[in-house]
Amino acid sequence: MKPFSLLVKPASWRCNLRCRYCFYLKKEGVYDSAKSPLYMSDEVLKTMLEKFMRIDLPVHGIGWQGGEPTLMGLDFFKRAVHYQQKFGSSGKVVSNGLQTNGTLLDDTWCRFLKEYNFLVGLSIDGPPEIHDINRLTPDGRGSHRLVMRGLEALQRNQVEFNVLTLVNQSNQDHPLLIYNYLKELGVNYQQYIECVEFGPDGELSPFAVDPIKWGEFLCAIFDEWYEHDVRRISIRLFDSILTRLVDNYTNVCAMGSDCRQYFVVEHNGDVYPCDFFVEPELRLGNIMQDNWEKLAGAESYREFGKRKQQWNEECTTCQYLMLCAGCCPKNRPSRGKDPTRLSVLCPGWKIFYQHALPRLQLLAEFIRKERIQAMPVAPPPIPKRGGSTKIGRNAPCPCGSGKKYKKCCGA
């Protein structure tokens, strides 16, 4: 069975903030809180984890997201860890991630997160004058002050975390301001993702990032990072590109050619193929009645996965296809229903890759050489009679770079 992870929405779309650009708040049209409470029951939690831990996987990865998952309270997550331990056999590895707005985090929460090695994703759009434009409380106040309180609790308790910044119309012109602000906060793991939403007319929403600005935003941060912070700051996009170049492996679904990377589990056990596509017609089943093997083998799931590589004809001749893979279907007009439509971000991606790829390829080559130099040294071969084991300066380098030894490892 192909490895997969879970993205769990224990509180559905419920949140204590009302961010202007949030796409998941719209799921109120799918799950009506007036008809039933939007929280994951202990029965659903137990069944979901029992069936998941039964699957033979290299790592049992679970991302807890929302809405705002901390609305479930700390006791819910204590029970989740208990069930993971109860149903997981010896030697199994569980990786828990928590994506949160951070406003409810305190020392009690963070001691628990530290004890059980949760990786926390914290949403920050920039300094207060930028963050507070879109990330608002229900009564219209900015949330930055509350988020900083949560960030300080994470740092105080030494919880591993990264910051997720949604690049949108309000912050797209301030890449270095945001990057340096996060550095000043001590954030060494940063993730930038695009805000792409379409209105009823099929046009980009007013708060969505401009495609050209998206490329320019990434270029500005890349230049600063490459010049000063390659060994100090982790940018997820850059790390993922290097992983693709060095190991020929995709560790983010947007770079892959098949969208079947994980399952979304809603509060009531409903299962979907992606959190951007939690739509009634794409519901795969319910974990209370179905098992993961059945869901993974569903024809509708296979068809959903195929959408990714049904890219536009223009993509087939693009030099960046191995990295972009046609971009995420959610960024293609018609939201993937016609996957052959070109991603709206295509111009921005081309700007970025044209600008940054040559230097990323140099970094990839450097990483390969580092790995070779770190390998255990084999015993020297026995010289042939009358011969020598010395490598000629003009001979091909044994590292496999294709360069002459004197201009590579022998330099």
Side-chain angles (χ1 to χ4, degrees):
M1 186 176 180
K2 180 183 175 181
F4 66 94
S5 59
L6 302 183
L7 184 61
V8 184
K9 308 270 191 178
S12 191
W13 54 265
R14 285 193 305 136
C15 189
N16 60 331
L17 297 185
R18 289 296 180 269
C19 301
R20 297 184 192 276
Y21 48 53
C22 181
F23 75 96
Y24 214 75
L25 284 173
K26 299 174 184 176
K27 299 308 169 187
E28 184 176 7
V30 180
Y31 295 103
D32 188 349
S33 60
K35 295 180 179 179
S36 62
L38 299 181
Y39 62 87
M40 181 171 283
S41 69
D42 190 69
E43 182 183 11
V44 172
L45 175 66
K46 180 180 178 181
T47 302
M48 174 187 71
L49 291 176
E50 182 176 9
K51 291 182 178 180
F52 185 51
M53 298 305 299
R54 193 186 300 156
I55 302 292
D56 184 20
L57 295 170
V59 177
H60 287 74
I62 305 173
W64 305 91
Q65 202 185 67
E68 176 49 45
T70 58
L71 289 176
M72 295 298 296
L74 187 52
D75 286 344
F76 172 86
F77 288 94
K78 289 180 177 178
R79 293 198 304 275
V81 170
H82 167 71
Y83 290 136
Q84 290 170 1
Q85 294 172 332
K86 179 179 180 179
F87 300 122
S89 59
S90 177
K92 286 196 173 182
V93 178
V94 179
S95 174
N96 284 296
L98 178 74
Q99 183 62 45
T100 175
N101 59 41
T103 59
L104 300 179
L105 295 181
D106 56 19
D107 286 327
T108 303
W109 263 102
C110 291
R111 283 192 292 269
F112 166 83
L113 297 170
K114 173 65 175 177
E115 180 179 1
Y116 292 102
N117 297 314
F118 275 64
L119 172 63
V120 176
L122 186 66
S123 295
I124 302 177
D125 277 1
E129 65 272 19
I130 293 177
H131 179 96
D132 287 344
I133 294 173
N134 291 304
R135 303 191 64 81
L136 305 172
T137 62
D139 60 1
R141 291 177 293 118
S143 63
H144 187 271
R145 178 182 58 84
L146 301 175
V147 178
M148 290 301 101
R149 185 181 64 187
L151 179 133
E152 291 165 3
L154 289 168
Q155 292 175 323
R156 192 163 51 244
N157 290 277
Q158 299 180 319
V159 178
E160 189 175 354
F161 74 97
N162 60 55
V163 162
L164 185 151
T165 298
L166 188 67
V167 184
N168 62 85
Q169 190 274 335
S170 299
N171 63 6
Q172 63 186 11
D173 293 315
H174 308 287
L176 295 186
L177 175 64
I178 296 168
Y179 180 73
N180 289 315
Y181 175 71
L182 295 180
K183 280 177 61 176
E184 291 170 5
L185 291 177
V187 178
N188 293 329
Y189 295 88
Q190 302 177 15
Q191 180 180 359
Y192 298 92
I193 63 174
E194 70 278 9
C195 178
V196 174
E197 289 291 318
F198 298 97
D201 57 358
E203 298 297 318
L204 281 173
S205 298
F207 48 74
V209 66
D210 177 83
I212 300 298
K213 295 283 188 180
W214 168 244
E216 293 172 346
F217 184 99
L218 295 177
C219 289
I221 288 182
F222 177 81
D223 287 346
E224 182 72 12
W225 172 82
Y226 189 87
E227 183 70 24
H228 302 289
D229 299 319
V230 168
R231 294 292 190 182
R232 296 177 56 239
I233 305 294
S234 170
I235 308 292
R236 187 183 183 192
L237 173 62
F238 306 160
D239 290 347
S240 297
I241 295 171
L242 288 169
T243 298
R244 184 75 167 97
L245 294 175
V246 175
D247 299 315
N248 196 28
Y249 171 74
T250 57
N251 60 5
V252 290
C253 59
M255 288 185 180
S257 59
D258 191 313
C259 282
R260 293 175 296 171
Q261 307 292 326
Y262 64 92
F263 291 105
V264 173
V265 186
E266 255 289 346
H267 70 289
N268 64 346
D270 283 348
V271 179
Y272 298 88
C274 172
D275 65 326
F276 291 110
F277 293 92
V278 173
E279 300 165 1
E281 63 271 21
L282 292 175
R283 178 181 174 274
L284 300 173
N286 187 289
I287 198 57
M288 299 302 289
Q289 293 84 42
D290 303 311
N291 58 45
W292 296 115
E293 293 88 346
K294 178 182 176 181
L295 293 165
E299 179 62 26
S300 57
Y301 191 43
R302 286 195 293 269
E303 289 300 316
F304 181 82
K306 290 179 182 178
R307 291 185 183 187
K308 187 66 165 65
Q309 57 185 312
Q310 294 171 356
W311 44 61
N312 188 274
E313 185 176 346
E314 187 177 321
C315 297
T316 60
T317 57
C318 179
Q319 60 183 314
Y320 308 123
L321 181 61
M322 70 166 287
L323 298 170
C324 174
C327 198
C328 179
K330 80 174 182 66
N331 296 336
R332 306 176 194 180
S334 80
R335 286 187 45 80
K337 293 179 180 178
D338 178 9
T340 64
R341 300 285 297 278
L342 199 63
S343 166
V344 295
L345 293 184
C346 181
W349 282 123
K350 287 181 176 179
I351 288 171
F352 167 67
Y353 282 124
Q354 183 178 14
H355 180 79
L357 191 55
R359 282 174 286 172
L360 285 165
Q361 289 170 328
L362 286 175
L363 282 176
E365 182 64 24
F366 184 78
I367 292 169
R368 292 189 196 99
K369 287 185 178 180
E370 276 193 328
R371 290 183 180 179
I372 291 169
Q373 293 169 0
M375 292 173 65
V377 177
I382 299 173
K384 295 179 181 178
R385 188 180 300 274
S388 172
T389 58
K390 186 177 181 180
I391 299 174
R393 299 282 292 166
N394 289 310
C397 187
C399 76
S401 67
K403 301 177 182 179
K404 291 182 179 181
Y405 176 68
K406 67 180 181 180
K407 292 185 177 181
C408 190
C409 295

